[in-house]
Amino acid sequence: MATIRDVAKTAGVSIATVSRVFNGSSAVNEETALQVWAAASALDYWPNGAARSLTTSRSSTLGVLLPDLFGDFFSEVIRGIDQLAKREKYQTLISGSHASVEDVLTATRAMRGRIDGLVMMAPDSITVESVTKIRRRLPVVLISPPFAVDGCSSVSIASFSGARAVVAHLVGLGHREIAMVAGPAGNVDAEERLRGYRRGLAEAGIQPRDELVVQGDFRESSGYAAAAALLDRRPRPTAVFAANDCMAIGLMSALGNAGLSVPQDVAVVGFDNIAIAQYMRPPLTTVHVDAYALGQKAVRLMLDTLSDPDGAKVTVQTIDVALKVRSSCGARPSTTADAYTGADTDQQR
Amino acid sequence: MATIRDVAKTAGVSIATVSRVFNGSSAVNEETALQVWAAASALDYWPNGAARSLTTSRSSTLGVLLPDLFGDFFSEVIRGIDQLAKREKYQTLISGSHASVEDVLTATRAMRGRIDGLVMMAPDSITVESVTKIRRRLPVVLISPPFAVDGCSSVSIASFSGARAVVAHLVGLGHREIAMVAGPAGNVDAEERLRGYRRGLAEAGIQPRDELVVQGDFRESSGYAAAAALLDRRPRPTAVFAANDCMAIGLMSALGNAGLSVPQDVAVVGFDNIAIAQYMRPPLTTVHVDAYALGQKAVRLMLDTLSDPDGAKVTVQTIDVALKVRSSCGARPSTTADAYTGADTDQQR
DNA sequence: GAGCGCCATGTAAACGGTTTCATAGTTTCA
DNA sequence: TGAAACTATGAAACCGTTTACATGGCGCTC
């Protein structure tokens, strides 16, 4: 493995000059630079990343921490992160499946000295203290955090208002018995969607009832399982709002197996608008969330934090969502404009 | 940021001792070790990764290169990679969306000195030369490579035999006019599936006809679009094999919109068995591919390569696939055992 | 009780870069 | 024409570790 010294020797210059050439810094005679490039290419040389970060104390790498969830939505988020990071010449050190606070701390420890900042989609069990602790040594941006942390920018999904809009829409279609398949307890977005569902009902003058809420875990199977429980309810719900599309899809499958048709017998609405939602039979009414943009915004906030000298600028963003009416809710799908909801706030403090 | 020197000073020992404590190496007096731990924890010290890799020339990090594809299948592969890597105390440096050979070389250059090995799901345009070049400096494991490379272990999907089994199954159900929605040209698995489709037809004494093959790109939309083309064919195909599930789902959606029912009017079969496949209406007959295992095997091969002193051991694996009969093909779904196909070869040379 | 070996620890040299500062050579300008 | 300013380059310190080697103390053995 050729080092900077080999290149220097081959090019007949000092290592300082080679370094300058590779960093495009200050003035190096053009002819000299060409010799250096030639030597480097002959030796297949490229600066060693570890050595470089050791002296510069910058790694051009972003750490990404993910919870144990996966699937279409999360892979879109990662794609957004990766692409913007790549465009900005950053690499991406990913670590998934963190269930506990201890897990997270271990992972960030292992990343020490290898990353310039941490984008964190934390597990539900994370605490303010642990994030604060990490923040002391490293810029941190949070995605859908359960709380605000001093010095951390964050970007969240307008889950509450999206869910409220879903209920309002269903009520507008005449539904009164609206059930919900909730997401995993503890998950912020799951809870916000549940809260929005309850608020939506209350605003329509309908008393939210706990027996109409079935617990799920964001996966298809739990949506499928939820159907059995809901079909037992009397009066039977005429509409079901699932906290994400995967569960909605599982639910629709179970309803079909039970001989019920969507939306005639039961209306179904999901959340996220994953790629397949529009290809379901019937096409799934859902709340569109731009997962790709979510990932991108997180990286953008991180870059802002990194370029901010004293780390004083903290931005708390919410990405907007939009009700996407298709057929599964029984409404005539609006082919053009979708009902808009949610806010794209961008506060600085 | 506390360094090893700060800890040494606080604990009243030399930096060598601190290093030894953190590496569990050789004998350190238990009492001394405790003092070091105490000092480290008081200063919130953890060894700097960059410095460590500089001296040891090991980074405990695996590079992962992905093409521009995404979705359920790929995120499962990544999950498999990440989880096994994590369990084996490796970190994962991911870089996605590589379209060209140049892209790949740039990415691997940027990783230089930061990774111990590279797991590569290369773009279709990759060449033997470029992989060979990378291999000269770094262990490389390939996923679904278009060719074998000296010194590189690889793991592939039994796409050919899976596709052949699909056709055999459809022929067994009485279909003769079997169309295919192919994957992107150049993609190895897409091409193997196409080849398996043709072979399957030939083995059944049916002449493969090019007008029954529609080009897709592995995404739902292309499956949707393919329907229009296929429904024009006379005689109309009675069965369609899509090269992956996403396209099959898009296809089914379009067929439904055209007033055709699956499987009565047209039988549909996919490939991959992504999570939602079983929740489709009708449930999608497909070829099961264990994407998670695929990722895991790649990492396992990498670990083997890394622990192999002279890098002589090269393993070429194929992960087996299995036809998963559900309703979309019109057969009575086998609830228990699935028809088995494909080989799990494990040759060493 | 001198010699030997072992154990715990310290000293210092890498590892491969970046960067500050010094220096020699070349302009520029009065 | 000589001082000043600038340009291109080199020498050397430093980044935070690991590790080969040196060292000193102690318990054994003969």
Side-chain angles (χ1 to χ4, degrees), chain B residues 4-5 19 23 45 55:
Chain B
I4 198 172
R5 273 165 248 277
S19 175
N23 292 293
Y45 166 82
T55 45

Side-chain angles (χ1 to χ4, degrees), chain A residues 150-199:
Chain A
D150 266 10
C152 296
S153 290
S154 69
V155 47
S156 303
I157 302 166
S159 283
F160 174 76
S161 61
R164 203 167 53 156
V166 166
V167 173
H169 179 71
L170 289 171
V171 168
L173 292 172
H175 294 281
R176 308 286 298 172
E177 293 291 321
I178 304 173
M180 172 153 194
V181 184
N187 178 287
V188 188
D189 287 301
E191 289 185 344
E192 283 295 283
R193 286 165 202 189
L194 180 57
R195 201 166 66 82
Y197 156 80
R198 291 200 171 116
R199 174 72 66 85

